[in-house]
Amino acid sequence: MTMTMVAEKTNTAAYQKGEFSDASDRDTESIRAPPQHTLKRQLKNRHIAMISIGGVIGTGLFVGTANALAHGGPLGLLLGYIVMGSIVYCVMITLGEMVAFLPIPGGHIKLAERFVDPAFSFTMGWNYWYNWVIVSPAELSAAALLLNYWGHKVNDSVWVVMCLVIVVTINMLGAGAYGEAEFIFASIKVLTITGLIILGIVIDLGGGPNHDRIGFRYWKNPGPFVQYNGIEGAKGRFLGWWAVMSSAAFSFIGTEIVAIAAGEAKNPRRNLPKAIRRVYIRILLFYIGGTFVIGLLVPSNNTSLQLNSGAAESPFVIAIQTAGIKSLPSLINACLLTSAWSASSSDLYTSSRAIYGLAASGNAPKIFLKTTKNGLPWVAVVFCASFSLLAFMAVSSGAGQVFDWLSAMTSVAGLMTWFGISVTYLRFYEGLKVQGIDRKTLPYSTRFQPYAAWYGACATLIVCFFSGFSVFLKGNWDTATFVTNYILLMVWPVMYVGARLYYRVKPVAAEDMDFKSDLAEIEADTYDEPPPKNKLEAFWQWLV
């Protein structure tokens, strides 16, 4: 690993002096990354568009909002998602600038090696892999939770096995099959959440079978906030809002999946900026709009909102049942189930590509670089799929309780990933400035930098630090909650310091940062999209 880094520094310095031509750069790249160890660019524009949407919409919105509403109340829920949405937006434009310029396999994991140091890449990579192998069983547990809507007569293990077989099959068919499946699943999710928001407004205005005009009734009684843990006054309301933050983080985790998918995206310099630019629309429409409607339709003291009660339901399903609409709750629950399948499939895809990126950086065994002829990293997929068996904990502890534990662990891991992305960008930004590269010449840039990256780095750390605050309240200690919220926060600096001691390589200096490698191949893969032939094609290109 050290030899590779030295070689990269030497090549970068030589390029800056004009000693290397484009051809020699390509030769160096071919030596460093053997063709047999590369992924294939199989993901089309519509795949990338829907993957970026699918990363935003998941069981966190459909199921996780139940606990969030119970803890924070309708206004606490809305404010929590607004604040977390602002963090996500800053992280995405931060990531977008780097990954649109360098859409390489391994995404932000490889970028951290290039612009920070190998130890930071090591820590980010294993944290990211851990994040996605943990969230996959969380989604499977959520699927079992949703399937329990139709009755508790079937053991949860049956639902877990059924969902797991579907998820593994999709991933073993390759990136193309995953892209097509995600396109279909994400389309269902988009139609479902859009329909639910519209239906929710209709129900709220008295358009349901019971003709009950709800309005802002539940904002008045039981109230806009929940007094967390019975604590009175502003302190209790503040803690109720803060309890929403971890749930909101879990809901948004996955928006950065486009960075990992970049290595398998066709025409990445055209398609990735389009996906990044529209992320704020998805945040506003799906999450802010969705949580606002949920707060109107379901009172925060509804007992079915407690995920660990054994009788939990999605807030949307609760609202439709209360409105007296027959049959539709089952249809909606089925659509939400496809959301869990889709999210779990994305989790397995991302974790397998994350460990592939680790292997490519020399931070994981080289066996994970093994691919089939069509570019499927099959060893990585099989290895990561084995961790999905953690979902069988739902059999003994209950799907709702397991979902709570795993979502807390995933939230912290995801927030630390966003912290790492923000730090990587700050070094990237400094390197561009020192080497005299104008950011306006990049495929994607915004005027909010570097302030957006600083906000993302600081906010994610603060949310992580206080994520498990509830265990420190008097009489509220819970070992499982403490461990799931803080184990990674304690391990992260240990991993980084240990990797620094192991690699014995200083952080990459701004003047030595490599902004040249891989560019020849990336530019060769860039082309202008054919113009639309009719208005329908023009609308489709605008949409995706």
Side-chain angles (χ1 to χ4, degrees):
M1 183 63 190
T2 306
M3 293 295 292
T4 302
M5 289 300 300
V6 171
E8 286 182 357
K9 286 186 178 182
T10 304
N11 291 342
T12 304
Y15 167 75
Q16 291 170 346
K17 294 176 182 178
E19 294 175 23
F20 282 165
S21 66
D22 285 346
S24 63
D25 281 342
R26 287 193 292 270
D27 290 341
T28 303
E29 282 301 301
S30 65
I31 292 171
R32 202 163 53 230
Q36 64 268 28
H37 287 164
T38 58
L39 305 175
K40 308 294 183 185
R41 295 193 182 274
Q42 303 178 54
L43 298 176
K44 303 174 183 177
N45 178 30
R46 60 187 177 89
H47 295 156
I48 292 295
M50 282 302 179
I51 286 171
S52 67
I53 294 174
V56 176
I57 306 172
T59 52
L61 175 60
F62 294 130
V63 180
T65 44
N67 263 352
L69 178 58
H71 288 149
L75 185 54
L77 172 69
L78 181 62
L79 291 176
Y81 273 77
I82 288 174
V83 172
M84 190 55 64
S86 70
I87 296 172
V88 171
Y89 178 70
C90 289
V91 171
M92 285 304 292
I93 62 174
T94 294
L95 175 63
E97 191 166 312
M98 293 188 294
V99 82
F101 176 61
L102 287 170
I104 56 178
H108 49 275
I109 300 171
K110 286 292 290 180
L111 293 174
E113 177 188 350
R114 186 176 288 196
F115 301 118
V116 186
D117 62 44
F120 201 73
S121 175
F122 172 89
T123 309
M124 275 190 68
W126 281 109
N127 170 77
Y128 198 61
W129 171 82
Y130 164 86
N131 176 14
W132 289 102
V133 295
I134 290 298
V135 76
S136 183
E139 301 287 1
L140 292 173
S141 299
L145 198 66
L146 291 166
L147 283 161
N148 280 333
Y149 169 79
W150 289 287
H152 294 271
K153 295 180 181 179
V154 179
N155 192 286
D156 282 340
S157 60
V158 176
W159 304 135
V160 171
V161 169
M162 183 183 73
C163 297
L164 187 56
V165 168
I166 294 171
V167 167
V168 173
T169 301
I170 290 171
N171 275 268
M172 288 302 289
L173 291 175
Y178 161 74
E180 290 295 342
E182 191 61 20
F183 179 80
I184 295 169
F185 283 142
S187 298
I188 294 172
K189 286 193 281 187
V190 169
L191 292 173
T192 300
I193 187 61
T194 304
L196 286 173
I197 291 173
I198 295 171
L199 177 62
I201 294 172
V202 171
I203 292 173
D204 184 68
L205 295 176
N210 60 3
H211 301 295
D212 180 17
R213 186 181 177 90
I214 302 172
F216 283 84
R217 179 189 307 165
Y218 300 134
W219 285 53
K220 297 178 181 178
N221 183 26
F225 289 98
V226 171
Q227 300 297 143
Y228 190 83
N229 206 39
I231 299 172
E232 297 296 330
K235 180 181 178 181
R237 292 191 293 273
F238 173 80
L239 292 177
W241 165 73
W242 192 261
V244 175
M245 297 294 281
S246 291
S247 297
F250 176 75
S251 298
F252 282 115
I253 296 300
T255 50
E256 75 288 340
I257 192 175
V258 291
I260 292 294
E264 296 175 273
K266 292 184 176 181
N267 202 13
R269 284 204 163 174
R270 296 283 188 271
N271 295 331
L272 292 173
K274 286 173 65 178
I276 297 292
R277 285 190 188 101
R278 293 172 185 170
V279 72
Y280 76 93
I281 298 175
R282 292 154 192 161
I283 292 171
L284 288 173
L285 176 62
F286 300 135
Y287 272 99
I288 308 304
T291 52
F292 176 69
V293 169
I294 287 171
L296 293 176
L297 299 178
V298 183
S300 57
N301 58 1
N302 189 304
T303 56
S304 293
L305 293 175
Q306 298 296 334
L307 291 182
N308 56 8
S309 66
E313 297 173 3
S314 166
F316 290 109
V317 174
I318 295 172
I320 294 169
Q321 287 175 324
T322 305
I325 303 176
K326 312 282 187 181
S327 305
L328 189 58
S330 289
L331 175 62
I332 296 301
N333 208 64
C335 292
L336 303 190
L337 182 60
T338 65
S339 169
W341 281 338
S342 167
S344 188
S345 179
S346 291
D347 301 339
L348 180 54
Y349 170 84
T350 310
S351 62
S352 61
R353 271 50 178 191
I355 202 165
Y356 177 95
L358 282 165
S361 298
N363 294 325
K366 294 298 181 184
I367 191 173
F368 294 118
L369 289 174
K370 284 185 175 292
T371 61
T372 60
K373 291 181 179 180
N374 66 348
L376 171 71
W378 65 273
V379 176
V381 172
V382 171
F383 178 71
C384 294
S386 65
F387 286 85
S388 297
L389 299 177
L390 288 171
F392 284 105
M393 289 193 303
V395 178
S396 59
S397 300
Q401 183 65 68
V402 171
F403 180 79
D404 270 352
W405 289 338
L406 295 177
S407 62
M409 295 169 72
T410 297
S411 297
V412 175
L415 288 166
M416 292 306 295
T417 291
W418 295 348
F419 167 76
I421 289 171
S422 301
V423 171
T424 301
Y425 178 82
L426 292 172
R427 297 298 303 140
F428 172 83
Y429 182 90
E430 182 66 18
L432 290 175
K433 186 167 67 173
V434 169
Q435 296 190 24
I437 301 173
D438 187 356
R439 289 176 54 246
K440 293 180 181 179
T441 63
L442 302 181
Y444 173 78
S445 63
T446 70
R447 63 180 181 276
F448 303 117
Q449 297 295 2
Y451 312 108
W454 276 111
Y455 173 64
C458 296
T460 49
L461 274 185
I462 291 171
V463 175
C464 280
F465 189 77
F466 292 104
S467 62
F469 74 90
S470 62
V471 300
F472 299 108
L473 299 177
K474 186 176 181 180
N476 212 35
W477 176 262
D478 182 69
T479 303
T481 302
F482 176 80
V483 171
T484 54
N485 279 278
Y486 289 113
I487 185 66
L488 186 65
L489 199 58
M490 293 183 286
V491 169
W492 223 86
V494 173
M495 290 174 63
Y496 178 67
V497 172
R500 279 290 302 271
L501 294 174
Y502 175 78
Y503 287 118
R504 297 180 183 177
V505 176
K506 294 180 180 179
V508 182
E511 59 272 16
D512 293 331
M513 289 181 186
D514 181 5
F515 290 98
K516 180 64 179 177
S517 296
D518 302 303
L519 283 185
E521 179 191 349
I522 293 166
E523 289 170 355
D525 288 331
T526 303
Y527 54 87
D528 292 327
E529 299 283 350
K533 298 177 182 178
N534 49 53
K535 291 184 178 180
L536 182 61
E537 285 192 5
F539 173 75
W540 180 252
Q541 284 191 10
W542 171 83
L543 184 65
V544 301

